[in-house]
Amino acid sequence: MRVESLTLAVVRLPLVRPFETSFGRTAAREFVLVAVSAGGLTGWGECVADVDPFYTAETTATAWHVMSQYLVPAMLGAEFARAAELAVRWQRVRGHRMAKAALEMAAWDLEARLAGKPLCELLGAAARPIASGVSIGIHGSVDALVDRVRAELADGYQRIKIKIKPGWDLAPTAAVREAFPTVALMVDANAAYTAADGPALAALDRFGLMMIEQPLDYDDLVDHARLQTELATPICLDESITSPKLAADALALEACRIINIKPGRMGGFGPSLAVHDLARARGVPLWHGGMLESGIGRAHNLHLSTLPGFTLPGDVAASRRYFVPDLIEPPIEVAPDGTIAVPSGAGIGVDPVPDRLRAATLHSERFHA
Ligand code: OSB
Ligand code: MG
């Protein structure tokens, strides 16, 4: 494959509902969309970095900078057989995994399209219905939260995740558990607690949660390991797992019992497959996270979710929870049994609707080999 041209675009899509976490409130996604072309075909990638450096250090602006100045020049015009080889070309660039992921995943889509295969097959799996859960933001009141959970369950979703932070943890979790005694329930703190909060987090043990996601900071593997010894609830790491090496370290330290894979956070599908294989070999359950992606990133996530290590419902939900209309048509939908079909066709199986993409684009730049 030889990438002949490449377009970067900053795309802005308003969310159907604002989404609030321990680190802030988002009313719109503003992200870099990548199109890579070769042999008359185009592969798509979506960068998960946000405008603000609150979930992780990367932002839409840093991703644009690192892609346009370093990553794109190293891939344009170069001959490579597999998208997975790009990581080697980018080795000099430290970090910036979200920027790398968007380009790497676009190249995987292109590689699959050139081979005339669905992306999941190139990743080593076959299409299967994906068990879907939802991530529900911090609400203004416990009653409003319970109403939202009820609506999501009515749509069929198999697992509920609620966002927590100090001051919004015990009451919302107790209320959701009381209203829905048997629902598969988990909480996500997005790194809002400290090592001293063990007792507050242990108070959640009585709700029979599937897991507590990322209670402590992204670089606190040792404190997570200590905290896990104080909790019955399994810890799942999200922000902390930015590479296969960190996944191996986290498991060696027993800092978590479950891993959330987001290819956009880990530098793409290459590192994601490595973490998948490592976790699977050790019997560590995996699930696929989400970053409020448009239908493009969502389709990538569905394809990766077909791998056998993804044994728990993911945060890959229907388009209409996020964007109406989505960038793609038809939108991604959830079936009454809470599963989502992987788009069929070559590559990710979906393309942006040209008029919608044009209307949502704030600026773009085209690069040629
Ligand atoms: O921590 O999983 C997270 C959204 C943005 C940033 C981080 C996270 C999330 C979500 C939403 O939880 C997942 C989704 O519905 O896409
Ligand atoms: Mg999370």
Side-chain angles (χ1 to χ4, degrees), residues 53 95 109 196 221:
D109 179 25
L221 287 186

Side-chain angles (χ1 to χ4, degrees), residues 33 41-44 109 113 295-296 299 326-330 343 346 348-354 356-357:
L33 190 76
L41 296 174
T42 297
W44 297 93
D109 179 25
R113 289 176 196 250
I296 296 297
D326 201 336
L327 272 186
I328 61 165
E329 192 62 44
I348 57 173
V350 298
D351 293 276
V353 176
R356 292 185 194 165
L357 176 55

